[in-house]
Amino acid sequence: METGSITTPFGRRSMTLGMLASQVAAGEIKPDQSVDKWKLFRTLCEAKPLLGITDRALAVLNALLSFYPKNELAQDNGLIVFPSNVQLSLRTHGMAEQTVRRHLAALVDAGLLVRKDSPNGKRYVRRDRAGEIDEAFGFSLAPLLARAEEIEQLAAAVMAERLHVQRLRERVTLCRRDIAKLIEAAVEEDVQDDWQAVYQLFRDLVEGLPRSPTTAQLEQLLDELTALRADILNRLEVRVKTTKERGNAYYNERHIQNSNPDSISELEPSFESKQGARPEQENGRGGVTIDEKRQEAADQPRQEERQRGRSGGRDDAGGLKSFPLGLVLQACPEILAYGPDGVIRNWRDLMTAAVTVRSMLGVSPSAYEEAASVMGAENAATVMACILERGGHINSAGGYLRDLTRRSEKGEFAIGPMLMALLRANAPAGRKAG
């Protein structure tokens, strides 16, 4: 039996206690134990993170297994393979021999192989007169057979952890969506509270997560987002109870007025002023007075006429052109958090995210509708993404959007320079659009 004795490595390679432990463990194989080598290899690929081996080391192990003549690893069949480095290089699709040697050493250190070196360090086999293998020198696969059950347990642990992380990510995504839409609803329904501070807390939590978070970091974020969602729900429930106590006539009237099927976006409620209503505040810094709302109502027929005369909602005659979606997301990565499930795949997703951002920044629906009418729906969404990206430098997002809309009507505004400036500003951070 080739694993029945302890062997030391040839040449300058030193003997270690780890090698000794691997050889001892390899000698403890049960007499009738066997395992399908390719099934075991697939299990090894799953358990790779806990075994501390790389993809390329697994490629070398795959090549070694291909030299084993049978599908079942069993002690009765012999467990020594003895290909040369040249043959291993060919079966690893041209991997350099030096790289092959390095990964063989990594497999030995990980306790997945045992060296059985010949007196001169070469790998070869000695056969008897009947042609049967009498003694072989090379690499023993005995550790794989001895550790088969352990490897299966490690693979199961890795798959369970992966599933746990996947579920954590799903729950975090759902919490983010709930919080964003609840804050948007609170702003739309004019619920009195410091929603800007709540929104800022929400953004701080989300942006504090690393690009490749650990399981513990995801669990902590989920707990914090769950608590924030519960706090928002409590605030809104108080408003609902108060509304029921004093009658819901005003609430119903406002809801009907905010349901306009002819809105620019299917998710964007149209805005109409109501006699005696309080001034609409844009981001808490600049007010839209009742007189301004009446002026917007007077300008509505002109806006509708411009919209009907424009193909696809884009003002090509004004010199305002659309840019590729990938470029917009690269320049404005902040908008990604507001897409469906935290991803923006197409222009519709971007326009949906722009509606949410519009509400968060306190931009009135009429200001956004006018921008979409003048610039086109895609360009208006792009401008909202740019405003979000530059949020810290803009005092009144609503006033800024109205100014850009007026300049666009006069042919004095182009989106290109704004996008290029943001693209240069975000380049060092290496942020990636999803």
Side-chain angles (χ1 to χ4, degrees):
M1 180 174 67
E2 70 274 9
T3 58
S5 60
I6 301 299
T7 62
T8 57
F10 170 77
R12 292 178 295 177
R13 291 192 294 267
S14 60
M15 183 69 176
T16 66
L17 292 179
M19 293 181 185
L20 180 61
S22 296
Q23 293 188 39
V24 171
E28 299 175 354
I29 300 174
K30 299 175 184 178
D32 58 344
Q33 186 176 356
S34 65
V35 64
D36 184 282
K37 64 180 181 180
W38 297 123
K39 181 179 178 181
L40 179 61
F41 179 74
R42 288 191 293 270
T43 307
L44 268 170
C45 293
E46 290 287 350
K48 174 185 65 174
L50 296 182
L51 291 170
I53 53 178
T54 64
D55 295 339
R56 305 201 76 185
L58 284 174
V60 174
L61 181 59
N62 184 28
L64 281 173
L65 289 173
S66 69
F67 284 100
Y68 189 77
K70 298 182 180 297
N71 282 332
E72 292 287 326
L73 285 179
Q75 200 167 10
D76 294 340
N77 299 331
L79 294 170
I80 300 291
V81 289
F82 40 87
S84 67
N85 287 342
V86 174
Q87 292 173 316
L88 285 174
S89 177
L90 290 174
R91 293 208 184 179
T92 52
H93 307 287
M95 185 183 294
E97 292 186 32
Q98 183 178 0
T99 305
V100 170
R101 287 194 292 270
R102 185 171 69 252
H103 291 304
L104 286 171
L107 291 169
V108 172
D109 292 341
L112 300 177
L113 295 178
V114 169
R115 292 182 185 273
K116 186 180 180 184
D117 287 344
S118 65
N120 62 0
K122 301 295 183 181
R123 301 172 205 149
Y124 59 87
V125 62
R126 185 180 292 116
R127 301 179 183 272
D128 57 21
R129 291 187 176 182
E132 299 294 331
I133 295 178
D134 181 40
E135 190 171 14
F137 297 98
F139 291 99
S140 172
L141 303 176
L144 292 177
L145 183 58
R147 299 179 62 186
E149 293 183 2
E150 176 195 352
I151 292 170
E152 289 181 359
Q153 293 174 357
L154 293 176
V158 170
M159 289 187 285
E161 177 69 10
R162 184 185 304 133
L163 180 61
H164 178 54
V165 170
Q166 179 183 352
R167 289 177 176 172
L168 281 175
R169 290 182 177 276
E170 290 174 350
R171 294 174 64 187
V172 166
T173 298
L174 291 174
C175 262
R176 289 177 59 179
R177 184 182 69 190
D178 291 346
I179 292 171
K181 290 185 178 292
L182 286 171
I183 295 176
E184 179 185 7
V187 174
E188 288 290 339
E189 300 294 340
D190 199 21
V191 178
Q192 297 302 309
D193 212 319
D194 190 1
W195 296 113
Q196 186 67 24
V198 175
Y199 165 71
Q200 188 58 50
L201 175 60
F202 169 54
R203 293 303 308 154
D204 291 342
L205 290 176
V206 172
E207 292 172 358
L209 190 69
R211 179 172 296 180
S212 299
T214 63
T215 304
Q217 289 171 328
L218 283 172
E219 290 173 344
Q220 181 181 357
L221 177 63
L222 179 59
D223 290 341
E224 292 171 341
L225 290 177
T226 302
L228 180 59
R229 179 176 60 183
D231 178 56
I232 296 173
L233 284 173
N234 287 336
R235 301 187 191 196
L236 295 180
E237 286 173 2
V238 170
R239 168 60 182 267
V240 171
K241 291 178 181 178
T242 304
T243 303
K244 287 183 178 180
E245 290 175 358
R246 70 186 184 191
N248 58 1
Y250 169 79
Y251 179 83
N252 289 338
E253 181 181 0
R254 178 182 176 88
H255 177 73
I256 293 172
Q257 289 180 349
N258 279 349
S259 301
N260 183 357
D262 297 327
S263 179
I264 291 296
S265 169
E266 294 178 3
L267 302 178
E268 181 70 22
S270 179
F271 178 83
E272 295 181 11
S273 61
K274 182 178 64 174
Q275 185 67 28
R278 296 185 303 102
E280 182 81 13
Q281 297 294 321
E282 294 193 353
N283 205 20
R285 288 181 287 267
V288 180
T289 65
I290 295 176
D291 291 338
E292 290 176 340
K293 294 176 183 178
R294 290 173 178 170
Q295 182 61 40
E296 291 172 5
D299 291 341
Q300 186 67 24
R302 179 172 55 88
Q303 295 172 7
E304 293 177 351
E305 182 178 355
R306 284 200 307 267
Q307 186 175 353
R308 286 194 298 268
R310 185 174 296 115
S311 175
R314 293 186 53 187
D315 192 3
D316 294 333
L320 195 62
K321 68 173 184 177
S322 298
F323 287 82
L325 179 60
L327 177 64
V328 174
L329 297 180
Q330 188 177 359
C332 308
E334 293 291 336
I335 195 73
L336 288 167
Y338 300 94
D341 298 328
V343 179
I344 293 179
R345 304 176 182 84
N346 48 49
W347 280 107
R348 181 178 179 80
D349 288 349
L350 179 63
M351 288 185 277
T352 301
V355 171
T356 302
V357 169
R358 190 242 356 122
S359 178
M360 295 298 173
L361 297 180
V363 178
S364 67
S366 60
Y368 185 74
E369 285 186 359
E370 184 178 5
S373 176
V374 173
M375 302 177 185
E378 295 178 358
N379 287 326
T382 300
V383 170
M384 285 307 307
C386 293
I387 292 176
L388 174 66
E389 199 72 24
R390 299 184 56 203
H393 306 282
I394 299 174
N395 292 329
S396 173
Y400 185 66
L401 180 62
R402 290 182 184 278
D403 179 66
L404 294 183
T405 302
R406 287 192 292 267
R407 290 169 54 192
S408 180
E409 278 188 304
K410 299 176 183 179
E412 299 174 354
F413 168 66
I415 299 177
M418 179 185 294
L419 282 177
M420 294 304 106
L422 291 173
L423 197 60
R424 288 192 296 269
N426 286 328
R431 301 181 67 173
K432 185 178 179 182

